Amino acid sequence: MNLPLWRRLIPVAILLLGLALFLLLDCKRFFSFEMLSRHHVALAAWVAQNPVQACLLYVLVYALVVAFSLPVAVLITPIGGYLFGVWLGALLSVIGATLGSVVLFLAARSALHDVFHRKAGATLARLEAGFRRDSFSYLLFLRLVPVFPFWLVNIVPALLGMRLGPYVLATVIGIIPAAIVYASLGAGLGMVIERGEMPDLGIIFEWRILLPLLGLSLLALIPAVYSRLRAGPTSPR
């Protein structure tokens, strides 16, 4: 049964309202390294005493941050590395980010896909056909390259008709490298805080890290390029 448009817009409206409230109330101040430096001892002690609850709460917070497209996601992964260590922190970050991405993907696909298509017409139909043919490779490329806004990469595949299964798999694989980098950065936060310094979140753009990520992203495009070469040029109508 097709729901009326206003009902399909409700999830997107809720996500936009949450983002607006976050910005208006300046909630970003609660997700800062300054706040962490003030409360890191108590927070680390609570996590040590309640490891299961801490893991679940961290995943939930991360999922909400991504679903509402809050501008603090880049801070959450290093905090996960600090609280849980590199590998568990990276794993929990991947789980939380994937869950949040799926929520945003489904909301965008339900509310915006049909409207977007009616407005865009035949040009989008051709673009969608090309994207869907190799959607996994394209999305994996977008996930691996750390220059595309995460919220935008969550929405575009929904507008172009990507299926949920390949979307989830490409998201999980694509965000693992950056999650490990930021969790590794977070694992050393204790010493950074003790020195009264701030971590360098721009580490992902250093060439020693960026070049391998770019190499992986280009490898992700090989199946798409191969399928295009194998198909040959499109016959003119």
Side-chain angles (χ1 to χ4, degrees):
M1 181 176 64
N2 291 327
L3 295 175
L5 178 60
W6 69 269
R7 291 187 64 179
R8 286 186 281 143
L9 285 173
I10 290 176
V12 171
I14 293 173
L15 296 180
L16 289 175
L17 178 61
L19 174 59
L21 289 174
F22 183 89
L23 296 175
L24 288 173
L25 298 176
D26 192 25
C27 295
K28 188 176 181 179
R29 67 184 186 276
F30 299 115
F31 296 86
S32 65
F33 288 116
E34 291 86 357
M35 185 67 69
L36 179 63
S37 66
R38 280 190 229 132
H39 304 286
H40 71 283
V41 174
L43 183 59
W46 184 83
V47 170
Q49 294 170 5
N50 306 275
V52 176
Q53 297 94 318
C55 289
L56 294 175
L57 181 60
Y58 178 82
V59 169
L60 175 61
V61 170
Y62 209 133
L64 291 174
V65 165
V66 173
F68 284 95
S69 302
L70 305 181
V72 294
V74 71
L75 305 175
I76 306 298
T77 306
I79 292 175
Y82 169 69
L83 294 175
F84 306 105
V86 176
W87 299 111
L88 181 56
L91 174 62
L92 296 175
S93 298
V94 170
I95 294 172
T98 302
L99 291 175
S101 297
V102 168
V103 171
L104 185 54
F105 171 85
L106 293 176
R109 188 174 69 176
S110 173
L112 304 176
H113 180 267
D114 293 343
V115 175
F116 191 61
H117 275 242
R118 284 197 297 269
K119 297 293 184 182
T123 302
L124 178 67
R126 290 193 294 270
L127 177 62
E128 179 183 24
F131 180 85
R132 292 182 68 175
R133 187 162 51 243
D134 300 292
S135 58
F136 180 86
S137 294
Y138 290 139
L139 180 57
L140 188 56
F141 170 79
L142 294 174
R143 292 295 192 201
L144 286 168
V145 179
V147 297
F148 301 105
F150 197 73
W151 64 268
L152 183 61
V153 179
N154 290 335
I155 294 175
V156 169
L159 300 181
L160 296 178
M162 187 174 185
R163 291 184 295 112
L164 180 60
Y167 174 84
V168 172
L169 184 58
T171 295
V172 170
I173 296 174
I175 64 179
I176 285 176
I180 294 174
V181 170
Y182 279 121
S184 299
L185 177 66
L189 267 180
M191 292 182 293
V192 173
I193 291 172
E194 289 175 2
R195 294 196 301 265
E197 300 175 357
M198 295 290 292
D200 179 18
L201 295 180
I203 189 174
I204 198 79
F205 297 108
E206 293 182 5
W207 285 113
R208 62 189 174 90
I209 294 175
L210 185 59
L211 281 178
L213 291 179
L214 291 175
L216 288 173
S217 65
L218 292 176
L219 286 175
L221 286 179
I222 288 178
V225 173
Y226 175 76
S227 67
R228 290 299 180 90
L229 293 176
R230 189 177 182 185
T234 304
S235 301
R237 293 188 176 183

